[in-house]
Amino acid sequence: MPRFFNTAGPCRPSEHYMLPARERIADLAPLIAARQYFVIHAARQTGKTTLLLELAAELEAGGRYRALYCSVETAQGVTDAAAGIGAVLVALRDAASCHPLLHERLPAVDDAEWSAALRRLLSGLSAACDRPLVVLIDEVDCLEGPTLLSLLRQVRQGYILRDQMPFPHALALVGMRDVRDWRASLRPERETLGSASPFNIASDSLTLRAFTRDEVARLYQQHTDDTGQAFPPEVVDLVWERTRGQPWLVNAIAREIVERQLARDHRRAITVAVAEAAIEALILRRDAHLDSLIERLREPRVRRVIEPVLIGEEHAIDLLDDDVRYCLDLGLLADDRGRLTAACPIYAEVIGRALSWTSQCALDPALERRWMDGRRLDVDGLLRAFQEFWRDHAESWVARYQYQEAAPLLILMAFLQRVVNGGGRVTREFASGRRRVDVVVEYAGQRYPLELKLWRGPRSRAEGEAQLAAYCRQLGAGDGWLVLFDRRPERSWEQRLTWELVERDGLRLRIVGC
């Protein structure tokens, strides 16, 4: 069977184009040799399970260790600790039953004594091995609080006593979130974990990094070697720039190009236009990977972090804040030198479109192409129409949004997206501390820069003009539009809805009050 780009489940070299996941994480051999218990965390579909299966196979083949891989995902949603630990025990036994040695040596453990049963099972499995046992537990952070807490406490107890009793030589706990977020989720205000913290046995917390640009090229070269169909450098550059190397996106774009856009015809050329069409198709289709990110946007702790990023709020970002770390661990956001931003441009598109999707669908379909003539986009006419719409609908439309402060910017993005659907493209750039959102509308080979900004005081206008002028120069555009939303309740609509043309250093800047 020909190999293909995988977007579901772990990668296998015989079936999929892939790069060894071990290349994207620190060397684990010293930790295992030193009998360490450690955490591996990374965002969804970045290669964690592939890494663990690779590691287990390498450890077994090396002849020094026995390795047991186990996923506890089947225990997700089990809120009772006894039932949850019971599900973990079943998962461990199932994994051991597939092991070439352990399937004949499963220890007998009384599951009814659930608060000690996991420790006893791990001890029994370790005793049954002819070599030191390394246990790799996947999807740990899907366990409910009481189950996770019991698992960690039982592992800790065995860790402390492992010089007096058999217990795993090394152990990895693996999931999307770091141990810090586990601790936060397990500590209700009325309860503490006590002095015997189950978290203090983890020596290291490691993560899988994204692909580099060269790694994207290496991955795509495998397809070229197999089929002769090349991914030219400009396509690799585009994919890297839009994905920042996120592994699922890198594979999903390639699969969309090869299997859907070009219908598996390896004689057809892969071009930038084909890659752009593939990216747009992915965003519109909202496969499970992207849909899961969208679901996270509804969580209050995510909204608390994302909303200031969306509007470019200037405030100190505490990268140790539990909610900030949670968004970083999920892969929604990235830390750009202390500034929070979308993890990659495709995620920025997904976030912007998802939060304004309902508004976009509710807008009049006649908006599409109304200000386009095939050669240019009439941005002046479009924004004057938006001013009228905003006067008539601002209050009722803002009320629909969970993201209340960001709502004006999201509604304008929905308006822009509806206008250019099928005939252009809207690109959004946002980050904490920038005090605005950069938007560029691309149509018929032209780029139209807009700055979207909330009124924050007398400096807002002058600051916005300077920001827009810099953005126009960056894009090589002679015209730009600053849309300034003034939500002060004492201001009348006549005072808010303004329009002014400013010429500045050869640039024509429209200041659009809303």
Side-chain angles (χ1 to χ4, degrees), residues 312-313 339 429-436 438 453 467:
E313 191 69 50
R339 175 177 285 173
E429 296 180 31
F430 49 78
S432 62
R434 299 180 70 193
R435 301 182 298 278
R436 87 278 188 184
D438 295 338
K453 194 174 181 68
Q467 291 166 341

Side-chain angles (χ1 to χ4, degrees), residues 144-437:
E144 294 294 327
T147 301
L148 177 58
L149 188 56
S150 179
L151 179 148
L152 293 170
R153 283 182 167 154
Q154 292 188 59
V155 167
R156 180 181 187 275
Q157 186 179 18
Y159 174 88
I160 292 171
L161 299 175
R162 62 184 176 159
D163 289 335
Q164 287 79 48
M165 60 180 280
F167 212 65
H169 171 87
L171 183 143
L173 299 173
V174 184
M176 283 198 302
R177 294 174 288 158
D178 196 1
V179 66
R180 178 184 178 87
D181 197 65
W182 303 354
R183 186 187 294 115
S185 66
L186 290 173
R187 189 177 296 173
E189 292 181 3
R190 63 181 181 279
E191 181 181 315
T192 66
L193 298 178
S195 59
S197 170
F199 301 98
N200 62 12
I201 61 172
S203 66
D204 290 84
S205 181
L206 310 172
T207 191
L208 271 172
R209 62 169 175 78
F211 291 141
T212 65
R213 191 270 180 203
D214 288 345
E215 286 169 336
V216 175
R218 282 173 52 203
L219 179 69
Y220 286 2
Q221 184 63 39
Q222 294 178 19
H223 173 78
T224 303
D225 293 341
D226 283 6
T227 68
Q229 187 177 45
F231 283 83
E234 60 270 22
V235 171
V236 174
D237 289 341
L238 174 70
V239 172
W240 158 247
E241 193 278 326
R242 296 286 180 84
T243 67
R244 295 292 191 268
Q246 203 287 330
W248 185 88
L249 289 174
V250 170
N251 278 277
I253 292 169
R255 187 169 187 176
E256 175 70 24
I257 289 171
V258 171
E259 297 186 9
R260 292 191 174 92
Q261 299 296 318
L262 302 182
R264 297 189 177 92
D265 184 350
H266 301 320
R267 297 167 300 177
R268 299 173 65 185
I270 297 174
T271 65
V272 167
V274 170
E276 291 275 18
I279 291 169
E280 182 67 12
L282 279 180
I283 293 172
L284 291 175
R285 195 166 63 237
R286 282 176 43 171
D287 290 341
H289 174 89
L290 298 178
D291 220 33
S292 68
L293 292 179
I294 292 168
E295 283 298 313
R296 298 289 187 179
L297 298 175
R298 298 186 175 93
E299 297 180 18
R301 64 185 305 197
V302 172
R303 184 171 71 246
R304 186 180 78 82
V305 177
I306 292 283
E307 186 158 37
V309 177
L310 279 173
I311 60 179
E313 191 69 50
E314 185 175 28
H315 61 80
I317 296 294
D318 180 4
L319 294 175
L320 296 181
D321 178 89
D322 289 331
D323 291 347
V324 171
R325 295 306 313 173
Y326 178 63
C327 291
L328 292 170
D329 289 344
L330 290 175
L332 274 170
L333 298 179
D335 169 18
D336 181 13
R337 294 163 293 183
R339 175 177 285 173
L340 293 180
T341 186
C344 66
I346 288 179
Y347 284 1
E349 282 295 296
V350 169
I351 291 169
R353 292 198 200 188
L355 293 177
S356 60
W357 179 251
T358 301
S359 295
Q360 188 188 148
C361 293
L363 288 167
D364 185 351
L367 288 174
E368 294 185 20
R369 299 182 178 272
R370 183 172 163 188
W371 291 278
M372 299 174 175
D373 62 8
R375 294 175 290 103
R376 62 180 293 273
L377 174 68
D378 179 8
V379 182
D380 285 352
L382 185 159
L383 290 177
R384 289 188 186 279
F386 178 78
Q387 285 182 312
E388 295 177 12
F389 170 85
W390 186 242
R391 178 203 290 265
D392 294 339
H393 301 290
E395 186 174 342
S396 61
W397 278 55
V398 168
R400 304 176 185 181
Y401 278 75
Q402 284 184 308
Y403 289 66
Q404 287 277 299
E405 194 167 16
L409 310 186
L410 293 170
I411 292 169
L412 176 52
M413 289 184 209
F415 198 90
L416 292 171
Q417 191 70 54
R418 191 59 189 258
V419 168
V420 304
N421 273 349
R425 188 160 70 91
V426 179
T427 301
R428 308 153 178 83
E429 296 180 31
F430 49 78
S432 62
R434 299 180 70 193
R435 301 182 298 278
R436 87 278 188 184
V437 177

Side-chain angles (χ1 to χ4, degrees), residues 4 202 293 451 501 510:
F4 60 91
L293 292 179
E451 295 280 5
L501 173 63
R510 284 80 162 178

